[in-house]
Amino acid sequence: MSSRAWNPGSAGAGGGTHGRTARRSAPSAGGGPVVLAKQAPPFRMASRELHPENSVVRAGEVEIGSGRLVVMAGPCSVESRQQIRETARRVKAAGADMLRGGAYKPRTSPYDFQGLGRKALAWLAEAGRESGLPVVTEVLSPEDVDLVAGHADLLQVGARNMQNYALLRRLATAAKPVLLKRGPSATIQEWLLAAEYLLSGGNPDVVLCERGIRTFETATRNTLDLAGVALAKQLTHLPVIVDPSHATGKRALVAPASRAAAAVGADGLLIEVHPCPGRALSDGEQSLDPGEFAELMATLHRGERAMAAGE
Ligand code: PEP
Ligand code: MN
């Protein structure tokens, strides 16, 4: 990134090298005040400046960004046919809109469970069809895009891959929408520029996902950047959702973080739910069981009704 970074809300001075100058300043001939040029943001197609209305992205029959909170729920990893079918049934009954589940897992350690690949994709797609829920799953590499797109309604780019430009360029030509997670150390500008790779490459269907960033704090797995969500909503027309599971790393924080995300204007939530979190092969400590998920859904609905009533 340019060291003279673009700064949201600032006028002119210090514009990045990618930015357009929206209004040129004339040199002040008579020694009067110099009008600084307003610097347009470098993420042109993602910016609200050129596209003031919210974009709505469709995944299967579900509309993301239409003003209703969309909830995507399911296990970190698809572990068996029975596990994903049961999860799909339970999250659907609780009111989820979409089913999540990982078949290809980006794990920090190569010795950890890496996902079940193709067979997990097939089980996930089957569970989605059975429950009537569109599915979201991660694609790790450009070679897998066709395979994953054949099974999923929304293609997740994981946080570790946010700046994998070969993957982004390939996904720009995919016929499915993309869920772009924010990298753990990415600035909002870098996140929106990653989205720009997808948009400028030909895929207009991009949903952003804040999943916590790395800070000095170690009490939570990551630090949920809620102000960043509100700011992203101001800067871009793309839908922005929140993943409170990876953001907090703690089951007990998932519900309050979800309510906070809804309150700052997130368009949706991505929540890990496992039929038996204690036995999960990945991320059990941050996964809700189906009963806890149903309780959270009830409080979110109460909150939505209260907001609609202006309480
Ligand atoms: C996930 O969704 O399970 C995942 C690995 O997320 P992230 O890329 O945000 O770490
Ligand atoms: Mn996970």
Short mmCIF file of all heavy atoms in Angstrom, two decimals, residues 76 100 105-106 138 156-160 181 211 221 243 246 270 272 283, ligand 1:
data_model
loop_
_atom_site.label_atom_id
_atom_site.label_comp_id
_atom_site.label_asym_id
_atom_site.label_seq_id
_atom_site.Cartn_x
_atom_site.Cartn_y
_atom_site.Cartn_z
N CYS A 76 -18.00 -25.62 11.81
CA CYS A 76 -16.75 -25.19 11.21
C CYS A 76 -16.40 -26.16 10.08
O CYS A 76 -16.21 -25.75 8.94
CB CYS A 76 -15.64 -25.17 12.28
SG CYS A 76 -14.05 -24.67 11.63
N ARG A 100 -23.77 -23.24 6.65
CA ARG A 100 -22.33 -23.18 6.42
C ARG A 100 -21.70 -24.52 6.78
O ARG A 100 -22.28 -25.30 7.55
CB ARG A 100 -21.64 -22.05 7.19
CG ARG A 100 -21.60 -22.18 8.69
CD ARG A 100 -20.32 -21.53 9.30
NE ARG A 100 -19.14 -22.38 9.08
CZ ARG A 100 -17.91 -21.93 9.03
NH1 ARG A 100 -17.65 -20.65 9.18
NH2 ARG A 100 -16.90 -22.76 8.85
N LYS A 105 -10.29 -26.96 4.78
CA LYS A 105 -10.04 -26.12 5.95
C LYS A 105 -8.64 -25.51 5.93
O LYS A 105 -7.65 -26.23 5.80
CB LYS A 105 -10.18 -26.96 7.24
CG LYS A 105 -11.56 -27.50 7.51
CD LYS A 105 -12.65 -26.42 7.52
CE LYS A 105 -12.43 -25.32 8.53
NZ LYS A 105 -13.46 -24.26 8.41
N PRO A 106 -8.56 -24.19 6.10
CA PRO A 106 -7.25 -23.53 6.18
C PRO A 106 -6.78 -23.57 7.64
O PRO A 106 -7.19 -22.74 8.43
CB PRO A 106 -7.59 -22.10 5.76
CG PRO A 106 -9.01 -21.91 6.23
CD PRO A 106 -9.67 -23.25 6.26
N GLU A 138 -15.93 -22.74 2.05
CA GLU A 138 -14.69 -22.09 1.65
C GLU A 138 -14.02 -22.79 0.46
O GLU A 138 -14.02 -24.01 0.37
CB GLU A 138 -13.71 -22.07 2.84
CG GLU A 138 -12.37 -21.45 2.47
CD GLU A 138 -11.56 -20.94 3.64
OE1 GLU A 138 -12.04 -20.99 4.79
OE2 GLU A 138 -10.42 -20.48 3.40
N GLN A 156 -16.80 -18.96 -0.11
CA GLN A 156 -16.08 -18.21 0.94
C GLN A 156 -14.59 -18.14 0.63
O GLN A 156 -13.95 -19.15 0.35
CB GLN A 156 -16.30 -18.89 2.29
CG GLN A 156 -15.54 -18.28 3.44
CD GLN A 156 -15.94 -18.88 4.78
OE1 GLN A 156 -17.11 -19.17 5.01
NE2 GLN A 156 -14.98 -19.06 5.67
N VAL A 157 -14.06 -16.90 0.70
CA VAL A 157 -12.61 -16.70 0.71
C VAL A 157 -12.24 -16.49 2.17
O VAL A 157 -12.72 -15.54 2.81
CB VAL A 157 -12.19 -15.48 -0.13
CG1 VAL A 157 -10.69 -15.21 0.00
CG2 VAL A 157 -12.56 -15.68 -1.59
N GLY A 158 -11.43 -17.36 2.72
CA GLY A 158 -11.09 -17.28 4.13
C GLY A 158 -10.15 -16.12 4.42
O GLY A 158 -9.51 -15.56 3.51
N ALA A 159 -10.09 -15.76 5.71
CA ALA A 159 -9.29 -14.62 6.12
C ALA A 159 -7.84 -14.74 5.66
O ALA A 159 -7.23 -13.76 5.21
CB ALA A 159 -9.35 -14.51 7.65
N ARG A 160 -7.30 -15.95 5.74
CA ARG A 160 -5.88 -16.14 5.37
C ARG A 160 -5.65 -15.95 3.88
O ARG A 160 -4.52 -15.81 3.44
CB ARG A 160 -5.43 -17.54 5.79
CG ARG A 160 -5.42 -17.76 7.29
CD ARG A 160 -5.49 -19.26 7.57
NE ARG A 160 -5.54 -19.56 8.99
CZ ARG A 160 -6.64 -19.53 9.73
NH1 ARG A 160 -7.79 -19.16 9.19
NH2 ARG A 160 -6.61 -19.85 11.00
N LYS A 181 -13.82 -12.72 3.38
CA LYS A 181 -13.50 -12.42 4.77
C LYS A 181 -12.34 -11.42 4.85
O LYS A 181 -11.44 -11.44 3.99
CB LYS A 181 -13.15 -13.71 5.50
CG LYS A 181 -14.39 -14.56 5.79
CD LYS A 181 -14.06 -15.62 6.81
CE LYS A 181 -15.30 -16.08 7.54
NZ LYS A 181 -14.94 -16.87 8.72
N ARG A 211 -14.39 -10.68 10.57
CA ARG A 211 -14.26 -11.87 11.43
C ARG A 211 -13.23 -11.67 12.52
O ARG A 211 -12.68 -12.62 13.06
CB ARG A 211 -13.96 -13.11 10.58
CG ARG A 211 -12.88 -12.95 9.54
CD ARG A 211 -11.48 -12.89 10.07
NE ARG A 211 -11.02 -14.22 10.42
CZ ARG A 211 -10.03 -14.48 11.25
NH1 ARG A 211 -9.35 -13.46 11.80
NH2 ARG A 211 -9.66 -15.70 11.52
N ARG A 221 -10.03 -14.49 20.82
CA ARG A 221 -9.22 -15.04 19.72
C ARG A 221 -8.76 -13.94 18.76
O ARG A 221 -7.65 -13.93 18.27
CB ARG A 221 -10.05 -16.10 18.98
CG ARG A 221 -9.29 -16.81 17.89
CD ARG A 221 -10.11 -17.94 17.28
NE ARG A 221 -9.37 -18.60 16.22
CZ ARG A 221 -9.84 -19.59 15.47
NH1 ARG A 221 -11.07 -20.05 15.68
NH2 ARG A 221 -9.11 -20.12 14.52
N ASP A 243 -18.82 -12.38 11.43
CA ASP A 243 -18.60 -13.73 11.95
C ASP A 243 -18.18 -13.59 13.42
O ASP A 243 -17.01 -13.34 13.72
CB ASP A 243 -17.50 -14.41 11.12
CG ASP A 243 -17.03 -15.74 11.70
OD1 ASP A 243 -17.38 -16.08 12.85
OD2 ASP A 243 -16.27 -16.43 11.00
N HIS A 246 -15.40 -16.67 14.92
CA HIS A 246 -13.94 -16.51 14.80
C HIS A 246 -13.48 -15.20 15.43
O HIS A 246 -12.35 -15.09 15.89
CB HIS A 246 -13.52 -16.60 13.33
CG HIS A 246 -13.72 -17.98 12.78
ND1 HIS A 246 -14.91 -18.37 12.24
CD2 HIS A 246 -12.91 -19.06 12.75
CE1 HIS A 246 -14.84 -19.65 11.88
NE2 HIS A 246 -13.64 -20.09 12.18
N LEU A 270 -22.48 -14.95 10.36
CA LEU A 270 -21.97 -16.29 10.01
C LEU A 270 -21.58 -16.94 11.33
O LEU A 270 -20.63 -16.49 11.98
CB LEU A 270 -20.75 -16.14 9.09
CG LEU A 270 -20.08 -17.41 8.59
CD1 LEU A 270 -20.98 -18.17 7.61
CD2 LEU A 270 -18.75 -17.08 7.88
N GLU A 272 -20.91 -20.40 13.88
CA GLU A 272 -20.59 -21.83 13.93
C GLU A 272 -21.52 -22.54 14.92
O GLU A 272 -21.64 -22.13 16.10
CB GLU A 272 -19.12 -22.02 14.29
CG GLU A 272 -18.24 -21.66 13.10
CD GLU A 272 -16.77 -21.95 13.25
OE1 GLU A 272 -16.28 -22.03 14.40
OE2 GLU A 272 -16.09 -22.09 12.22
N ASP A 283 -12.68 -25.95 16.03
CA ASP A 283 -13.40 -24.78 16.57
C ASP A 283 -14.59 -25.09 17.48
O ASP A 283 -15.55 -24.30 17.54
CB ASP A 283 -13.82 -23.84 15.42
CG ASP A 283 -12.62 -23.08 14.84
OD1 ASP A 283 -11.54 -23.11 15.47
OD2 ASP A 283 -12.78 -22.47 13.77
C1 PEP B 1 -14.02 -20.60 8.95
O1 PEP B 1 -14.97 -19.92 8.53
O2 PEP B 1 -14.15 -21.74 9.48
C2 PEP B 1 -12.66 -20.02 8.92
C3 PEP B 1 -11.56 -20.78 8.87
O3 PEP B 1 -12.69 -18.69 9.01
P1 PEP B 1 -11.51 -17.58 8.90
O4 PEP B 1 -11.02 -17.66 7.49
O5 PEP B 1 -12.23 -16.31 9.21
O6 PEP B 1 -10.44 -17.93 9.93
#
